[in-house]
Amino acid sequence: AGPGSYTVGTMSERFDCHYCREPLQGKKYVQKEGRHCCVKCFEKICANTCIECKKPIGADSKELHFKNRYWHDSCFRCFKCYTSLVNEPFMLRENNKVWCSNCTATEDAPRCKGCFKPIIAGDQNVEYKKMVWHKDCFTCSQCKQVIGSGSFFPKGDDFYCVSCHEHKFAKTCAKCKNPITSGGLTYQEQPWHSECFICSNCKKQLGGKRFTAVEDQFYCVDCYKECVAKKCAGCKNPITAGFGRGTSVVNYEDESWHDYCFKCTRCARGLANKRFVCHNGKIYCAECPKRL
């Protein structure tokens, strides 16, 4: 860039200034658009105004121009970092301010949600739902440790590492008291790990299977029959109420019967919820003892 539209020299012929009519012979002058003028009139009337400092660009100054805008060469600096942009790449931005390429890239870069500084090319970053962080700025809201590219759990405007999320939000197993991070089941409004909800005898998991609870202990069907259930005084099989035929139990003097096994020894009449007689350790209806 340069003046281009005028020349500067010392007048050797007899000419007068086009504006003030002062003689120019032997003096420094400026010729612009075919007119000769003194330096004073040039700066007052003809000189371009620097868009940065708003002062005229005198005949002795170096001038730079771009898209009908003019600067002193000393004013042609980056608006952000003040680096001279003479012979350097630049960009003309809002308010006619010139920026160097580095500052332009930084200004246009996305801002870190954590430190609010720009994330420039080459920075490691984390993106989530149109938000972006420097990798080292993406930290757990609870322990403040760097999550970086690791697993995390969002909660509103906060983010938690796996460990903090487990302790702060996860349900606690009724047996082992540790957090339940996935899966699990609920029994009587209490959460359990699947691997903690097991048969007290054989240790098999009971999730999705039939079981019974006895004094805070859980048993699968087979173990309940074998280890816990009372034996019917009639058929000698386990009494497993709720696991098969019959749901009622008849108890009498430390012995138990299925309701369908509690019947008269002589006539086989069912005696559940009916009057009966015990004679020589056997059960009879009210009529049969009279016939013995």
Side-chain angles (χ1 to χ4, degrees):
S5 58
Y6 61 88
T7 58
V8 180
T10 302
M11 184 61 69
S12 59
E13 301 179 24
R14 181 173 178 77
F15 279 99
D16 294 337
C17 173
H18 177 77
Y19 299 100
C20 68
R21 312 312 297 175
E22 289 289 328
L24 296 175
Q25 189 170 13
K27 298 179 181 179
K28 194 170 186 178
Y29 76 99
V30 180
Q31 181 179 343
K32 183 176 182 180
E33 297 177 351
R35 299 170 181 174
H36 302 81
C37 64
C38 65
V39 172
K40 184 177 180 180
C41 287
F42 172 80
E43 292 183 354
K44 183 178 180 181
I45 301 171
C46 304
N48 295 314
T49 300
C50 176
I51 200 169
E52 183 64 28
C53 70
K54 312 304 180 185
K55 295 179 180 179
I57 303 174
D60 293 329
S61 300
K62 291 183 179 180
E63 180 182 279
L64 296 138
H65 63 89
F66 178 73
K67 291 185 176 181
N68 295 321
R69 295 171 178 83
Y70 301 87
W71 294 264
H72 294 102
D73 65 339
S74 58
C75 292
F76 196 63
R77 298 178 299 172
C78 175
F79 172 73
K80 195 76 173 178
C81 68
Y82 304 107
T83 300
S84 174
L85 296 177
V86 178
N87 299 322
E88 296 292 336
F90 67 92
M91 178 175 287
L92 186 66
R93 295 174 65 91
E94 60 275 5
N95 300 322
N96 292 317
K97 300 299 183 181
V98 287
W99 295 57
C100 69
S101 55
N102 288 337
C103 288
T104 298
T106 300
E107 184 70 13
D108 293 339
R111 296 278 170 171
C112 173
K113 184 75 173 175
C115 68
F116 305 107
K117 294 180 180 179
I119 298 175
I120 59 177
D123 286 347
Q124 291 185 311
N125 61 78
V126 176
E127 293 186 32
Y128 177 74
K129 287 189 175 180
K130 298 183 179 180
M131 297 182 288
V132 62
W133 293 259
H134 292 107
K135 185 177 179 180
D136 291 340
C137 292
F138 191 59
T139 59
C140 174
S141 299
Q142 182 78 13
C143 67
K144 309 303 179 184
Q145 295 297 310
V146 174
I147 298 174
S149 56
S151 299
F152 66 92
F153 293 89
K155 283 287 185 180
D157 294 331
D158 295 324
F159 300 89
Y160 296 89
C161 65
V162 174
S163 178
C164 287
H165 182 267
E166 288 180 357
H167 288 89
K168 189 174 181 66
F169 298 105
K171 294 180 179 180
T172 301
C173 176
K175 182 176 182 180
C176 70
K177 309 305 180 184
N178 291 322
I180 301 173
T181 57
S182 62
L185 51 87
T186 300
Y187 175 68
Q188 293 187 342
E189 299 183 355
Q190 288 187 312
W192 301 71
H193 289 113
S194 296
E195 58 271 23
C196 290
F197 196 70
I198 58 176
C199 174
S200 297
N201 186 58
C202 68
K203 309 306 180 185
K204 291 180 180 179
Q205 293 187 20
L206 298 176
K209 299 177 181 178
R210 300 176 69 192
F211 67 93
T212 190
V214 180
E215 297 180 353
D216 296 328
Q217 300 293 316
F218 304 109
Y219 296 91
C220 64
V221 175
D222 292 336
C223 288
Y224 178 77
K225 290 179 180 180
E226 181 180 347
C227 304
V228 181
K230 294 180 179 180
K231 300 299 188 291
C232 176
C235 69
K236 309 305 180 183
N237 291 320
I239 301 174
T240 54
F243 287 142
R245 179 188 171 195
T247 58
S248 299
V249 180
V250 178
N251 295 302
Y252 177 71
E253 292 188 353
D254 297 329
E255 288 191 303
S256 299
W257 290 259
H258 295 107
D259 59 350
Y260 53 83
C261 290
F262 192 66
K263 54 191 177 181
C264 177
T265 304
R266 187 169 187 274
C267 69
R269 180 187 302 175
L271 297 178
N273 299 316
K274 296 180 181 180
R275 293 179 63 192
F276 65 91
V277 176
C278 183
H279 180 69
N280 293 330
K282 296 182 180 181
I283 303 299
Y284 296 92
C285 65
E287 300 298 326
C288 283
K290 300 176 183 178
R291 301 168 185 167
L292 295 177

